[in-house]
Amino acid sequence: AFLLFLVGMEISLNKIKNVGLVSIIGALIQMVTLFVVSYYLSLYLGFPQFEAFIVGVVMAFSSTMIVVQLLSTSDKLETLNGRIALGFLLMQDVVVILLLTMMSSLEEISPYLISFALVKGLILIGIGILLARFVFPTVFKFAAKSQELLFLSSLTILFLFALLSVYFEYSIAIGSFIAGLSLANLPYSTDIVGKVKPLKEFFATIFFVALG
């Protein structure tokens, strides 16, 4: 959550827009290609059909946390390739949510379920845009009078969007990224990044040690 929050803070919405179409088309091609190859290879190796399907799904998606951390530590997030890779990862997260929605009710797969999942994502983004435009400037103008209050306010927004994303059945990675984007244009964004970054480093270390 802290990792994706800071990524959102450091990458403006305009930069995401510039690579949006490339990321969407490229991510779809990448996911479909890897899924098809992995699925048929699994069948060839003797896996039952359902297990082959699961293997194909697993191979088609990347770990957002790991790739973003690698891009961040190598200072490549701000590059064109880094922004495209980030777009790939976010697109994968959205597709994973849609896929899990369908798999949770395999007997009732319908366009309604897919549309409902997409609408929830758009609502989450809309909340971020509205708050960023009409609420956050006033709130953070007051919070900026105290460094401690600025720090706590930014964490509150992070946790708020993380909880909202869980409520909408999306991953906290997407909610945290939207939280970062919603604060990215504030005049205090540099101060917020400086205060949150040590926490990100601390929890990222725990995450990767636990992963290992």
Side-chain angles (χ1 to χ4, degrees):
F2 285 109
L3 182 61
L4 270 295
F5 176 70
L6 287 178
V7 169
M9 289 283 297
E10 294 170 355
I11 295 183
S12 67
L13 197 57
N14 289 330
K15 291 180 180 178
I16 294 293
K17 287 180 180 177
N18 293 337
V19 298
L21 185 61
V22 174
S23 296
I24 291 172
I25 296 174
L28 290 174
I29 293 173
Q30 173 255 315
M31 286 183 286
V32 171
T33 302
L34 277 177
F35 171 79
V36 170
V37 171
S38 301
Y39 175 75
Y40 283 105
L41 183 59
S42 298
L43 289 178
Y44 176 76
L45 293 174
F47 284 88
Q49 191 170 15
F50 182 73
E51 280 78 356
F53 174 80
I54 296 299
V55 171
V57 169
V58 170
M59 294 299 293
F61 299 105
S62 312
S63 170
T64 300
M65 304 299 179
I66 293 176
V67 178
V68 168
Q69 176 69 8
L70 290 171
L71 290 171
S72 178
T73 54
S74 58
D75 294 325
K76 292 182 178 178
L77 267 176
E78 288 289 344
T79 65
L80 177 61
N81 291 340
R83 296 199 301 271
I84 292 175
L86 179 63
F88 270 50
L89 295 168
L90 294 175
M91 186 64 189
Q92 287 180 5
D93 283 345
V94 172
V95 173
V96 166
I97 298 302
L98 297 177
L99 190 62
L100 290 175
T101 300
M102 291 187 292
M103 290 181 67
S104 64
S105 52
L106 288 173
E107 297 178 356
E108 302 176 4
I109 294 176
S110 68
Y112 168 77
L113 286 174
I114 299 174
S115 301
F116 185 60
L118 286 173
V119 167
K120 289 191 293 184
L122 292 175
I123 291 173
L124 187 60
I125 294 172
I127 291 172
I129 293 173
L130 290 174
L131 290 176
R133 180 166 294 184
F134 299 109
V135 177
F136 290 162
T138 303
V139 170
F140 279 86
K141 184 178 180 180
F142 173 78
K145 296 178 181 179
S146 165
Q147 292 297 306
E148 290 79 9
L149 188 56
L150 180 66
F151 175 59
L152 291 174
S153 299
S154 60
L155 292 187
T156 300
I157 302 305
L158 165 59
F159 294 145
L160 172 65
F161 275 91
L163 288 171
L164 277 175
S165 66
V166 172
Y167 178 75
F168 287 153
E169 298 179 334
Y170 273 79
S171 69
I172 63 169
I174 292 178
S176 303
F177 181 73
I178 294 173
L181 282 179
S182 67
L183 301 181
N185 293 322
L186 292 175
Y188 324 104
S189 59
T190 303
D191 292 331
I192 294 173
V193 169
K195 291 185 175 301
V196 175
K197 201 165 188 176
L199 270 180
K200 186 269 288 186
E201 300 290 352
F202 174 72
F203 286 113
T205 301
I206 292 177
F207 172 78
F208 285 105
V209 169
L211 186 67

